[in-house]
């Protein structure tokens, strides 16, 4: 595997379900991100992890819970979601630090539908 | 606050012709980075090109070039010799290099390449 991978690619869940999205980066980066992309809205940053510590949480509802066990893996745990949470969830990684352009490389995304 | 504006919701171009996608930005920072991404209908965000605010030359990557006009705060993407596979959404983004990992995206431009 190369680059950034995400599983599953598609997910349909009910409002009472609990599911998790997985992201893995094979680029040796030290920062990982979760973004939400809804129809007709700009990409929204949800969480940033740098060196496995969460450094930013853009006031995301608690029904979204991130986990970063190591620098290569990032999870987004979902529970009691709402239909308006249906969106494309994108994971990205970058090499953050002095001298780096900190270009973010994205995975293919998980298309989530909440019924 | 940083802001990215993409004023063209949709653009059309004939195959093999060049096209310019507009991007203007607003920031009070002296040091920042500008990025362009391509998003095909499959959903993945593909990094195309990067321009640093202190770079004296316009960035180029194959058929992509960035027309950087710092005084006008514009960072237009030029695609030369358009191909059918260039049909996609294109997003301009900016990152403050003062310590934040946050990437701010524009709303995007949908490019359609006609045969």
């Amino acid at each position: 595997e190369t680059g950034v991978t995400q599983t599953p690619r598609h997910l349909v869940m009910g409002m009472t379900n609990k599911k998790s999205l997985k992201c893995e980066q094979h680029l040796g980066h030290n920062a990982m991100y979760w973004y939400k992309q809804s129809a007709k809205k700009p990409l929204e940053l949800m969480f940033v992890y740098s060196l496995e510590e969460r450094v930013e949480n853009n006031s995301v509802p608690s029904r979204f819970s991130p986990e970063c066990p190591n620098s290569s893996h990032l999870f987004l745990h979902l529970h009691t979601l709402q239909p308006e949470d249906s969106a494309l969830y994108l994971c990205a990684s970058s090499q953050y630090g002095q001298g780096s352009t900190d270009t973010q490389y994205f995975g293919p995304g998980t298309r989530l539908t909440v019924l | 606050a940083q802001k990215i504006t993409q004023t063209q919701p949709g653009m059309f171009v004939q195959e093999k012709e060049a096209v310019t996608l507009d991007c203007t930005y607003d920031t009070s920072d002296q040091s920042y980075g500008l990025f362009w991404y391509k998003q095909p209908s499959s959903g993945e965000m593909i990094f195309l090109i990067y321009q640093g605010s202190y770079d004296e030359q316009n960035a180029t990557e194959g058929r992509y070039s960035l027309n950087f006009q710092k005084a006008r705060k514009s960072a237009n993407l030029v695609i030369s010799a358009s191909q059918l596979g260039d049909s996609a959404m294109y997003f301009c983004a900016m990152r403050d290099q003062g310590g934040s990992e946050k990437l701010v995206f524009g709303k995007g431009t949908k490019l359609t390449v006609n045969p």
Side-chain angles (χ1 to χ4, degrees):
Chain A
E1 292 277 16
T2 58
V4 181
T5 58
Q6 289 185 244
T7 55
R9 295 293 309 277
H10 300 272
L11 179 61
V12 179
M13 58 187 289
M15 289 191 284
T16 58
N17 291 156
K18 286 185 180 182
K19 296 286 184 183
S20 295
L21 309 185
K22 179 183 176 183
C23 176
E24 184 172 359
Q25 60 97 0
H26 308 267
L27 300 169
H29 289 163
N30 59 11
M32 296 187 77
Y33 312 77
W34 278 117
Y35 286 89
K36 176 184 178 182
Q37 187 178 32
S38 305
K40 299 182 181 179
K41 290 178 73 174
L43 218 62
E44 299 172 80
L45 178 65
M46 299 176 73
F47 299 103
V48 179
Y49 275 84
S50 180
L51 299 173
E52 300 157 44
E53 289 197 11
R54 190 161 74 189
V55 297
E56 186 153 350
N57 171 358
N58 282 1
S59 302
V60 178
S62 59
R63 57 185 183 270
F64 295 92
S65 174
E67 178 190 0
C68 187
N70 55 60
S71 60
S72 299
H73 294 86
L74 185 65
F75 295 89
L76 188 63
H77 304 299
L78 316 171
H79 64 97
T80 59
L81 293 192
Q82 304 298 311
E84 59 265 28
D85 296 323
S86 298
L88 180 68
Y89 289 84
L90 289 161
C91 173
S93 72
S94 72
Q95 184 60 29
Y96 178 69
Q98 195 171 14
S100 167
T101 64
D102 194 30
T103 299
Q104 293 184 20
Y105 293 89
F106 286 79
T110 295
R111 198 165 292 278
L112 173 67
T113 303
V114 182
L115 301 176
Chain B
Q2 298 173 330
K3 185 179 177 182
I4 293 283
T5 302
Q6 294 181 255
T7 57
Q8 307 154 315
M11 288 285 286
F12 293 86
V13 65
Q14 287 297 123
E15 195 178 5
K16 299 181 185 178
E17 293 186 351
V19 63
T20 298
L21 306 183
D22 295 341
C23 172
T24 58
Y25 59 92
D26 188 18
T27 181
S28 57
D29 298 310
Q30 296 301 310
S31 179
Y32 50 88
L34 296 157
F35 304 80
W36 275 93
Y37 287 86
K38 171 185 178 182
Q39 187 178 40
S41 56
S42 59
E44 183 176 1
M45 290 283 249
I46 302 167
F47 166 69
L48 296 178
I49 197 166
Y50 166 83
Q51 179 85 43
S53 58
Y54 291 120
D55 293 342
E56 295 182 353
Q57 306 262 352
N58 285 343
T60 60
E61 288 286 349
R63 293 186 300 111
Y64 304 107
S65 60
L66 202 151
N67 184 359
F68 181 46
Q69 298 187 44
K70 194 170 181 177
R72 298 178 64 179
K73 293 189 175 179
S74 75
N76 298 338
L77 177 70
V78 181
I79 306 175
S80 62
S82 297
Q83 301 172 357
L84 296 177
D86 293 335
S87 293
M89 285 291 293
Y90 287 81
F91 292 92
C92 181
M94 176 172 64
R95 192 179 67 82
D96 158 25
Q97 292 183 346
S100 167
E101 298 94 334
K102 185 175 180 179
L103 202 60
V104 176
F105 283 82
K107 292 185 176 181
T109 296
K110 183 174 182 179
L111 177 67
T112 303
V113 181
N114 294 317

